[in-house]
């Protein structure tokens, strides 16, 4: 009994101490790692706040607080293993959605990227040469750390040395020519000076009110003065060279001349409420192409699912017959379109459908207008998408067919059902139960299938008479991309974000409707 009791005793002495000590070390390392993460997060948050990026600072703050809660609260400690994933989801999924919604209510576009204070600072950096400024000939110098400086030689013989961002030095008893080196700076050769001209033409040399800047390949002026000065009381920028006041228009995000229609560029971002959404309804130039694009988007997604499913199921039914020789080899060959990268496959099809040189466009299908006719382009896109999509449908159909019990078909045959009846009454209902969610996912994917639209014909041919760039083969996602990043009138991020929200709402509604339809298929399949 004493031996058993001694074995059952808990560890004591050095062993117990080392175990407790190990736990303390683990806890200390855990808190140290958390402190390091918090320190880096605070540095990033401070940087975002300095750049006035409040949204990113807020989301990073939420992520950091959440990580601390998961680690420090004992009851939530098991979730710590999910913390990295939750942080990435928040940063890469939730924040973009949040930012897109915010952008939809702003005038963010080309010329309206910065906020108001950034625009004031940017315009305040512009300099002009006031009346009575002294002109110099200049020679360019550069230090080892890449800082530039000017050797200024005046008509009156006065010489000054003006480093960028440092006080100008008056040179006493200057040499007849600019020296090779001066104050740690080295004179550049003519070739080096020419290469640096673009970099230095907007630099301000000197410091404070005593500044200089180059005015051409050989001439510099001193002093330079700030052209625009912000008047906080009037909320205006004053042009010091002309005396013109540019009043802030906080409705449009512009500094507009007090008299006249002149505006300063760039503008700044402002909240415009539901203006971007109202444009969808009130502007015929926008509403016209948007309606066409929406109808084609739904048609393209629906026909893509129907055609790929029909061909994939047809091939799966054929290859499901044991009488077909070499079924594995044939199935492997039919999967090739799915294994080839989409960009390559689309490029090959684009070449084959070329109306001048393509084997299909100039031969078998000549006269259709595969890349110029609105209907020809759409048919070509559906054909290419069928080629790319049917192998996937064939694979999942083959798997679903294998799951249907053979006894069901045997019972139907005994009851006198024909092969066509067995397909419509047994095979298809049972397949739809299994494949319903996959078909919904395929519809959602094709609803936003930007790759095939952009790679095949970039949404062309263009729709004539539209205020915004739009093409006959554009779907909503490619139309949005044109508005946000395309040429023409320039990027219109706010309007594109509004359309993105509409796309999300449409896809969500259609998906919910399709899930309800899937339940009906399940109920019908239960009666088979």
């Amino acid at each position: 009994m004493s031996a058993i009791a001694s074995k059952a005793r808990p560890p004591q002495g050095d062993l117990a101490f080392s175990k407790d000590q190990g736990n303390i070390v683990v806890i200390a390392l855990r808190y140290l790692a958390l402190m390091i993460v918090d320190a880096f997060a605070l540095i990033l948050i401070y940087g975002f706040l300095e750049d006035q990026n409040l949204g990113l600072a807020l989301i990073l703050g939420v992520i950091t607080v959440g990580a601390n809660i998961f680690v420090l609260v004992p009851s939530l400690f098991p979730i710590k293993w999910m913390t990295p994933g939750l942080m990435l989801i928040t940063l890469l999924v939730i924040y973009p959605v949040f930012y897109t919604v915010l952008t939809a209510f702003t005038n963010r576009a080309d010329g309206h990227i910065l906020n108001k204070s950034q625009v004031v600072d940017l315009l305040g950096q512009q300099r002009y040469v006031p009346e009575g400024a002294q002109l110099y000939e200049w020679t360019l110098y550069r230090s080892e750390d890449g800082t530039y400086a000017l050797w200024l030689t005046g008509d009156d013989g006065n010489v000054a040395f003006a480093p960028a961002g440092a006080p100008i030095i008056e040179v006493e008893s200057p040499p007849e020519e600019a020296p090779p080196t001066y104050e740690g700076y080295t004179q550049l050769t003519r070739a080096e000076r020419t290469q640096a001209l673009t970099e230095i033409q907007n630099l301000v040399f000197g410091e404070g009110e005593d500044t200089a800047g180059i005015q051409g390949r050989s001439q510099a002026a001193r002093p330079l003065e700030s052209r625009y000065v912000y008047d906080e009381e009037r909320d205006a920028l004053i042009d010091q060279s002309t005396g013109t006041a540019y009043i802030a228009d906080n409705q449009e995000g512009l500094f507009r001349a007090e008299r006249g229609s002149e505006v300063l560029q760039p503008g700044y971002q402002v909240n415009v409420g539901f203006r971007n959404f109202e444009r969808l309804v009130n502007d015929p130039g926008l509403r016209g192409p948007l309606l066409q694009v929406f109808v084609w988007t739904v048609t393209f997604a629906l026909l893509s699912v129907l055609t790929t499913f029909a061909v994939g199921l047809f091939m799966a039914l054929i290859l499901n017959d044991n009488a077909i020789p070499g079924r594995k080899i044939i199935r492997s060959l039919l999967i090739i379109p799915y294994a080839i990268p989409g960009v390559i496959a689309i490029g090959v099809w684009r070449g084959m459908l070329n109306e001048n040189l393509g084997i299909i466009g100039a031969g078998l299908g000549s006269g259709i207008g595969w890349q110029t006719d609105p209907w020809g382009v759409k048919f070509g896109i559906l054909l290419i998408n069928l080629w790319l999509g049917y192998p996937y449908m064939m694979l999942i159909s083959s798997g679903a067919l294998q799951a249907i019990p053979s006894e069901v078909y045997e019972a139907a045959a005994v009851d006198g059902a024909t092969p066509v009846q067995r397909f419509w009454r047994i095979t298809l209902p049972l397949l739809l139960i299994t494949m319903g969610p996959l078909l919904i996912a395929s519809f959602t994917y094709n609803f936003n299938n930007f790759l095939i639209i952009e790679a095949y014909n970039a949404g062309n041919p263009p729709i004539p008479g539209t205020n915004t760039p739009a093409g006959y083969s554009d779907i909503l996602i490619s139309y949005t991309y044109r508005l946000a990043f395309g040429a023409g009138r320039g990027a219109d991020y706010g309007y594109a974000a509004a359309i993105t929200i509409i796309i999300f709402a449409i896809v969500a509604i259609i998906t919910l409707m399709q899930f309800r339809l899937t339940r009906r298929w399940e109920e019908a399949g239960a009666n088979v």
Side-chain angles (χ1 to χ4, degrees):
M1 292 294 292
S2 60
I4 296 176
S6 62
K7 291 182 181 180
R9 290 174 185 172
Q12 297 178 357
D14 294 339
L15 182 62
F17 177 75
S18 61
K19 183 177 181 180
D20 293 339
Q21 189 179 39
N23 290 335
I24 293 174
V25 171
V26 171
I27 294 173
L29 290 175
R30 182 188 306 157
Y31 289 151
L32 178 61
L34 185 62
M35 290 172 60
I36 294 174
V37 170
D38 289 345
F40 276 109
L42 288 175
I43 293 172
L44 289 174
I45 291 172
Y46 178 77
F48 292 142
L49 292 175
E50 282 288 310
D51 294 337
Q52 298 188 5
N53 195 334
L54 301 180
L56 203 52
L58 176 62
I59 202 72
L60 185 57
V62 171
I63 291 174
T64 306
V65 172
N68 280 268
I69 291 175
F70 292 148
V71 173
L72 297 177
V73 177
S75 60
L76 299 177
F77 189 72
I79 305 179
K80 74 171 185 176
W81 306 111
M82 300 173 59
T83 301
L86 294 174
M87 292 171 66
L88 287 175
I89 289 174
T90 304
L91 187 62
L92 301 179
V93 178
I94 297 178
Y95 174 70
V97 173
F98 171 74
Y99 185 75
T100 300
V101 173
L102 289 183
T103 303
F105 294 91
T106 68
N107 67 336
R108 182 178 174 85
D110 278 353
H112 294 272
I113 302 297
L114 306 176
N115 58 44
K116 187 175 181 180
S117 62
Q118 290 172 329
V119 170
V120 170
D121 292 339
L122 180 64
L123 293 175
Q125 294 174 8
Q126 294 188 21
R127 300 291 190 268
Y128 80 105
V129 180
E131 293 184 9
Q134 188 173 357
L135 300 180
Y136 295 83
E137 290 185 0
W138 59 273
T139 303
L140 186 61
Y141 286 72
R142 184 170 56 198
S143 66
E144 292 183 357
D145 62 1
T147 303
Y148 290 100
L150 296 180
W151 179 274
L152 302 175
T153 305
D155 295 336
D156 56 1
N158 291 330
V159 175
F161 188 76
I168 297 177
I169 303 171
E170 300 294 341
V171 180
E172 301 293 340
S173 302
E176 294 184 0
E177 295 183 358
T181 60
Y182 187 82
E183 296 289 334
Y185 289 80
T186 303
Q187 184 181 157
L188 300 185
T189 64
R190 180 175 296 181
E192 292 173 333
R193 169 176 163 170
T194 302
Q195 293 176 356
L197 190 61
T198 302
E199 187 177 353
I200 67 170
Q201 62 184 355
N202 294 321
L203 279 182
V204 176
F205 297 87
E207 190 177 51
E209 297 181 357
D210 188 11
T211 56
I214 66 172
Q215 299 297 301
R217 288 187 173 272
S218 61
Q219 193 175 72
R222 175 188 179 190
L224 292 178
E225 294 184 359
S226 297
R227 180 171 180 179
Y228 298 103
V229 176
Y230 182 63
D231 186 340
E232 189 172 355
E233 291 185 2
R234 299 177 63 185
D235 195 14
L237 284 171
I238 311 301
D239 188 342
Q240 301 296 303
S241 63
T242 62
T244 303
Y246 293 87
I247 310 299
D249 183 349
N250 294 320
Q251 298 296 321
E252 299 294 333
L254 291 167
F255 283 98
R256 196 183 303 276
E258 192 173 18
R259 296 180 180 82
S261 58
E262 185 182 359
V263 297
L264 296 180
Q265 294 295 338
Y268 53 91
Q269 285 190 60
V270 292
N271 192 327
V272 296
F274 290 91
R275 184 190 303 175
N276 290 317
F277 296 92
E278 293 172 356
R279 290 172 63 189
L280 296 173
V281 179
N282 297 329
D283 190 340
L286 298 176
R287 188 172 63 247
L290 184 62
L291 181 61
Q292 293 184 55
V293 168
F294 172 72
V295 172
W296 163 238
T297 302
V298 176
T299 304
F300 164 69
L302 185 61
L303 290 179
S304 294
V305 173
L306 291 178
T307 54
T308 55
F309 176 62
V311 174
L313 178 58
F314 176 74
M315 300 304 299
L317 288 170
I318 293 177
L319 296 175
N320 197 44
D321 191 343
N322 294 326
I324 302 296
R327 291 185 303 155
K328 293 183 179 180
I329 297 176
I330 296 174
R331 186 180 288 115
S332 300
L333 293 175
L334 292 175
I335 295 174
I336 290 178
Y338 192 62
I340 298 175
V343 174
I344 297 176
I346 295 170
V348 172
W349 272 96
R350 182 179 179 181
M352 291 193 299
L353 296 176
N354 185 280
E355 298 169 19
N356 298 319
L357 303 173
I359 188 174
I360 298 177
L364 302 175
S366 60
I368 293 181
W370 297 95
Q371 296 173 350
T372 55
D373 181 73
W375 294 105
V377 171
K378 293 177 180 179
F379 184 74
I381 289 173
L382 289 172
L383 179 62
I384 297 172
N385 212 30
L386 173 61
W387 168 262
L388 295 173
Y390 87 86
Y392 171 73
M393 292 296 181
M394 182 186 68
L395 288 174
I396 60 176
S397 297
S398 298
L401 288 172
Q402 299 296 327
I404 299 177
S406 59
E407 293 81 1
V408 177
Y409 291 108
E410 295 172 358
V414 171
D415 291 339
T418 64
V420 175
Q421 289 175 328
R422 292 199 294 269
F423 173 78
W424 288 106
R425 301 293 180 85
I426 298 176
T427 304
L428 188 60
L430 292 177
L431 277 177
L432 291 178
I433 295 173
T434 304
M435 298 182 59
L438 298 175
L439 295 177
I440 294 173
S442 178
F443 179 89
T444 303
Y445 170 79
N446 285 291
F447 198 91
N448 294 297
N449 192 348
F450 174 78
L451 174 62
I452 189 171
I453 302 299
E454 183 67 19
Y456 177 63
N457 209 29
N460 291 310
I463 301 175
T466 59
N467 292 344
T468 56
Y472 281 105
S473 61
D474 267 324
I475 59 176
L476 283 173
I477 189 65
S478 64
Y479 176 59
T480 304
Y481 177 83
R482 281 176 180 248
L483 291 175
F485 305 106
R489 294 177 57 193
D492 196 344
Y493 303 102
Y495 182 59
I499 297 179
T500 302
I501 294 175
I502 300 299
I503 293 175
F504 173 79
I506 292 172
V507 172
I509 293 172
I510 293 176
T511 302
L512 291 175
M513 294 173 59
Q514 289 175 327
F515 273 121
R516 294 189 63 181
L517 181 61
T518 303
R519 293 194 189 97
R520 294 181 183 178
W521 291 342
E522 293 176 354
E523 293 173 0
N527 298 324
V528 174

